[in-house]
Amino acid sequence: MNQEEQGRKISELIAKCWADEGFKQKVLADPAATLRAEGLELPADLSYVAHENTEKVVHLIIPGKPTELSDEDLGHVAGGTCQVAGTCAFNQGPAPPVGFSFPCANSSLGCF
C-alpha cells in the first residue's frame, strides 16, 4: 500500500471512529492491532498511541529531534513539502487526522 492509499485508509478509519463508538474505543485501547486488522501496514518495531482531540483538549505532537538533516530534508522543511498520508506538520496540507499520529520515513521532520 503506497502513502496515498494509506492516507485514504486512515481517513476512512477516522470516519469510522466518528460513526462507531465501539470501534473508536478499540482504536484508543490498542491502535496498532486495530489498525492492522483494518489493513494498514504499520512497522512492527514502533509503538503506537491514539489520542482523541475534544472541544477542550487538543494533543500537540512534538516530533523527535533530528540528528542530522540532508540537504533534501532541509529543503522539505523550508518548503513545507514533507507529505505523509495527505497531512503535513508544516501546514502545507490538510489538518492532521483528529487524535492520530503516524510515523513516517522522515518522522524527524514532523510528518503526521
Side-chain angles (χ1 to χ4, degrees):
M1 179 179 302
N2 66 36
Q3 289 181 351
E4 185 176 325
E5 293 167 332
Q6 187 112 336
R8 267 195 301 274
K9 185 67 174 173
I10 290 169
S11 295
E12 291 170 6
L13 294 175
I14 291 168
K16 186 174 180 178
C17 286
W18 292 336
D20 182 342
E21 181 67 25
F23 180 74
K24 178 177 76 175
Q25 293 306 317
K26 286 173 58 176
V27 170
L28 291 169
D30 191 351
T34 306
L35 298 177
R36 282 188 186 106
E38 292 291 321
L40 282 176
E41 297 170 0
L42 305 176
D45 61 339
L46 297 176
S47 297
Y48 297 86
V49 178
H51 297 283
E52 179 180 17
N53 286 346
T54 68
E55 291 179 14
K56 302 211 180 253
V57 177
V58 176
H59 294 88
L60 172 66
I61 307 301
I62 301 170
K65 183 178 179 180
T67 54
E68 186 175 323
L69 298 177
S70 68
D71 288 341
E72 181 181 358
D73 290 340
L74 287 172
H76 288 301
V77 173
T81 59
C82 182
Q83 294 286 325
V84 174
T87 63
C88 182
F90 305 105
N91 296 323
Q92 296 297 312
V98 176
F100 288 89
S101 174
F102 292 93
C104 70
N106 283 322
S107 59
S108 63
L109 300 180
C111 301
F112 291 87

